[in-house]
Amino acid sequence: MRNFEVLNFKNKMMPTNKKRVALVTGANTGVGFQIAKALIENNYTVFVGARNLENGINAASQLGNNAIAVELDVTKQKTISAAFEKIQKQFGKLDLLVNNAGISHAGKPGRTVEEVVASNRPSIASLDETRTVWETNVFGVVAVIQAFIPLLKNAEQARIVNVSSGMGSLTLNLNPEFPYRFGFDVVYGASKTALNAVTVAFAIELENYNIKVNAVSPSYTATALNNFQGTDTVEEGAKEPIRVALDESGVTGQFTGPNQEVYPW
């Protein structure tokens, strides 16, 4: 057999991994679950990240055969590393990373939004609570992105989507007419501002590797994040995050909200 024939034969026999693979953190409930569901409907294999593996397994069973539960607490490097090793072993790449996991406070559960806002005012906010929220919303995102960059580089058109909030926009909050500015605080609101800055920083560095990085805000969705006081269902609230997660147009360094509105940083 001539050399070019041997090469051609090997190329035919070598498996090619064309299946798109995604990891969604905090995917066992709320907006994260809806994102995972939409990705599976669009032919992705989705790793359903959950702090509690049992919750992840329950969510994956609802999502079907293309959902794989993985224990992932973004504040625990051990679980991040284990998730990386699992995806590396099974697929060797990651096409899409959605950093959805987030918390609004770390105080007493079941409080109303109004109670949380009152306790998180900058002049009296607990530094311990602030650190806890930032560990998930900011440092956890940085840790996950850093860990998965090698697998993202192995994909042809890799993307990172950070689920932020319009509450994190400094420009919007400085507008007296912005309806949610009363709730801008050093705990949750400022953590999303920091997340936006992290998004821009990674977008700048990773553009040289053709990895697109964007931030997106759901609408005011009724989830555990706001004690289910949001005005929109999770299906409605997840529409823009789903659109951004599925967007393969090549845009990077953008921050959008409901109805594809481009938000100022």
Side-chain angles (χ1 to χ4, degrees), residues 99 137-138 141-142 145 149 160-164 168-171 191-208 211-216 251-256 262-265:
N99 289 300
N137 294 359
V138 184
V141 173
V142 174
I145 293 176
I149 282 176
I160 299 171
V161 177
N162 295 329
V163 178
S164 184
S169 168
L170 294 177
T171 302
S191 77
K192 291 300 186 179
T193 303
L195 174 60
N196 288 346
V198 166
T199 301
V200 172
F202 275 111
I204 292 171
E205 178 183 0
L206 297 180
E207 63 186 358
N208 292 328
I211 298 174
K212 313 305 180 186
V213 189
N214 294 288
V216 61
V251 66
T252 192
Q254 193 170 73
F255 180 25
T256 61
V262 177
Y263 282 173
W265 296 103

Side-chain angles (χ1 to χ4, degrees), residues 20 22 34-44 96 98 159 161 239-250:
R20 290 179 296 181
Q34 295 300 318
I35 295 172
K37 182 173 181 286
L39 291 171
I40 288 170
E41 290 170 350
N42 283 271
N43 300 315
Y44 277 80
L96 172 64
V98 181
R159 305 184 313 285
V161 177
K239 284 184 178 179
E240 181 61 10
I242 288 170
R243 184 194 70 81
V244 175
L246 292 171
D247 185 10
E248 298 180 354
S249 67

Side-chain angles (χ1 to χ4, degrees), residues 91-146:
F91 293 96
K93 66 162 186 172
L94 186 65
D95 298 278
L96 172 64
L97 169 61
V98 181
N99 289 300
N100 167 75
I103 57 175
S104 59
H105 65 88
K108 183 179 178 181
R111 292 182 295 168
T112 65
V113 170
E114 293 76 17
E115 289 172 330
V116 172
V117 168
S119 67
N120 287 355
R121 285 182 291 127
S123 58
I124 62 171
S126 161
L127 286 179
D128 287 340
E129 185 167 353
T130 301
R131 290 188 182 99
T132 298
V133 171
W134 281 57
E135 280 292 340
T136 294
N137 294 359
V138 184
F139 306 126
V141 173
V142 174
V144 171
I145 293 176
Q146 288 180 342

Side-chain angles (χ1 to χ4, degrees), residues 1-14:
M1 190 180 289
R2 287 172 293 180
N3 286 340
F4 77 90
E5 290 176 329
V6 172
L7 253 171
N8 190 44
F9 176 77
K10 286 183 178 179
N11 287 337
K12 286 181 180 178
M13 294 298 294
M14 287 176 63

